Amino acid sequence: MKYTLLGSNSGRNAGDAAILSAVIDEFSRVDPDAEFFVPTTNMEFVRRSYAHLDGRVRPVNILPYTGSVRLLGPTTMAAMARSDATLICDGIIFDVRLFNPAFNFLITLVGLAPWARLVRTQLFGYCMGIGPLRTASGRRFTRWVGKYCREMLVRETDSRDLLLASGVDPSKVSVWADVAFVTRPAAPERVDRILSDLGLPLDEPLVGVNVTRYIGDWVATGGLDQAGFLEQFREVFAKLRARLAPARLVLICTQRMDLGFAQQLREAIGDAALPILINDPALEDGTGYDCHDLMGVMGRLELFIGMRLHSLILASAMKTPIVGIV
């Protein structure tokens, strides 16, 4: 079987990368000869991550010079035409900046969904997260995509409810789970090396903290801006240190774009030595790691406090106690 995997596959977000890895691992476990086409703006990430699978995972270039806008373009369409099934993975059905195809995935799926039927590739929503869907257009486009899907499997009940409220056929919708829960963590010896590189002891308790820069956009704050949030979090961080001593704290960025915000937080705290673990294996200074590395480190934590959904999912998968900040 051949599959095209539609998602945010650049490797810059540990949650997205974990979903991609888990889908490929699970399908390969059932069918060791399965082949995958992965539309991506980062060909090297896909090649490097799946080099061990002997060419069964093929990156599909969707950079603008290929004529692609996000997922919509000739390279993705050609991959779908060669596939037995096309899976919409990840949380790419939302209506934030809906009519900006350089940002929004849903607007591109509006074109790809009927194309799937035309080229006779079965279209599935696979363990998706849905939303936000705050506009009539967003709900209408979601219903349109659902019309062409054979099934739409979602990861939680809120996503199911959004699909049903958008008018998607209820017989197609079922609740499963987030596939990132079954992502493989890094080997223990690699985790030891990562902790050593970060200057963290192997024999002392550790607490991880994850923050996102999406303050006031994806994350509702009740009118609190980034500066106000930083000040509040600085105070919280000081209390955490006092209450959790002698545990060491480490900032964990599951999305590369959050690094600047994490650095601002570190500066506000006044601790230049506070380690930051970053999801981005392409960082030239060698301080970036991948989703498997982050999971391995999360498994060594006594507690994980996170804002991003998949930071909490990956920590939970490692049976680490979590506190979610919404």
Side-chain angles (χ1 to χ4, degrees):
M1 293 279 288
K2 295 181 179 179
Y3 304 89
T4 293
L5 306 181
L6 303 179
S8 181
N9 298 321
S10 69
R12 292 171 63 86
N13 184 308
D16 299 336
I19 289 169
L20 177 63
S21 175
V23 169
I24 290 172
D25 283 353
E26 289 299 295
F27 277 62
S28 296
R29 182 173 57 82
V30 175
D31 177 8
D33 296 319
E35 298 179 27
F36 305 90
F37 300 108
V38 182
T40 179
T41 56
N42 188 345
M43 302 274 284
E44 183 57 27
F45 159 69
V46 176
R47 288 195 190 100
R48 182 179 60 248
S49 299
Y50 301 101
H52 62 288
L53 294 182
D54 300 322
R56 290 196 296 109
V57 180
R58 304 174 193 175
V60 175
N61 191 347
I62 57 170
L63 285 169
Y65 69 79
T66 67
S68 300
V69 181
R70 277 289 190 180
L71 294 172
L72 182 60
T75 52
T76 298
M77 295 169 76
M80 292 172 64
R82 298 175 62 189
S83 299
D84 300 290
T86 294
L87 308 183
I88 303 172
C89 308
D90 206 347
I92 63 173
I93 294 182
F94 56 83
D95 62 1
V96 176
R97 301 184 216 171
L98 178 59
F99 292 100
N100 179 359
F103 175 84
N104 188 279
F105 288 98
L106 175 56
I107 192 71
T108 67
L109 294 176
V110 168
L112 292 176
W115 174 254
R117 180 174 294 180
L118 184 65
V119 297
R120 299 183 180 180
T121 177
Q122 296 287 334
L123 184 64
F124 294 87
Y126 187 73
C127 297
M128 304 179 297
I130 306 296
L133 292 175
R134 302 187 180 110
T135 66
S137 294
R139 293 187 289 274
R140 183 168 64 252
F141 291 167
T142 299
R143 182 169 63 251
W144 172 263
V145 173
K147 171 184 174 182
Y148 291 95
C149 285
R150 182 170 175 176
E151 293 185 64
M152 300 189 83
L153 316 180
V154 295
R155 61 194 182 196
E156 22 71 24
T157 55
D158 285 351
S159 290
R160 176 200 62 195
D161 294 345
L162 281 172
L163 288 180
L164 298 182
S166 298
V168 174
D169 182 350
S171 68
K172 294 183 177 183
V173 181
S174 56
V175 179
W176 288 46
D178 196 302
V179 71
F181 276 112
V182 296
T183 306
R184 295 172 289 104
E189 56 272 17
R190 176 160 175 78
V191 177
D192 288 346
R193 196 184 82 190
I194 293 169
L195 293 175
S196 177
D197 290 345
L198 292 171
L200 293 169
L202 301 181
D203 57 352
E204 293 183 15
L206 301 172
V207 173
V209 179
N210 165 265
V211 293
T212 175
R213 74 178 186 88
Y214 283 135
I215 305 302
D217 188 355
W218 295 77
V219 178
T221 61
L224 192 67
D225 60 12
Q226 280 201 5
F229 176 80
L230 276 172
E231 176 57 26
Q232 284 198 4
F233 213 97
R234 183 191 65 78
E235 296 174 3
V236 169
F237 216 89
K239 292 177 181 178
L240 280 175
R241 277 188 157 162
R243 293 185 181 184
L244 298 177
R248 296 278 299 276
L249 272 64
V250 54
L251 290 172
I252 299 180
C253 291
T254 56
Q255 163 59 273
R256 177 68 174 84
M257 68 173 60
D258 293 336
L259 175 58
F261 193 63
Q263 290 171 332
Q264 290 180 50
L265 177 58
R266 182 168 64 180
E267 183 177 344
I269 294 166
D271 182 0
L274 180 67
I276 300 178
L277 180 64
I278 311 163
N279 174 75
D280 191 346
L283 286 183
E284 294 180 0
D285 63 2
T287 59
Y289 301 94
D290 65 19
C291 63
H292 309 288
D293 296 329
L294 268 61
M295 281 189 75
V297 171
M298 289 172 175
R300 301 289 182 90
L301 304 176
E302 300 296 318
L303 175 68
F304 181 78
I305 302 166
M307 294 185 69
R308 281 191 175 268
L309 171 64
H310 278 98
S311 74
L312 297 166
I313 287 175
L314 297 180
S316 297
M318 298 305 295
K319 301 181 180 179
T320 296
I322 63 170
V323 175
I325 302 174
V326 180

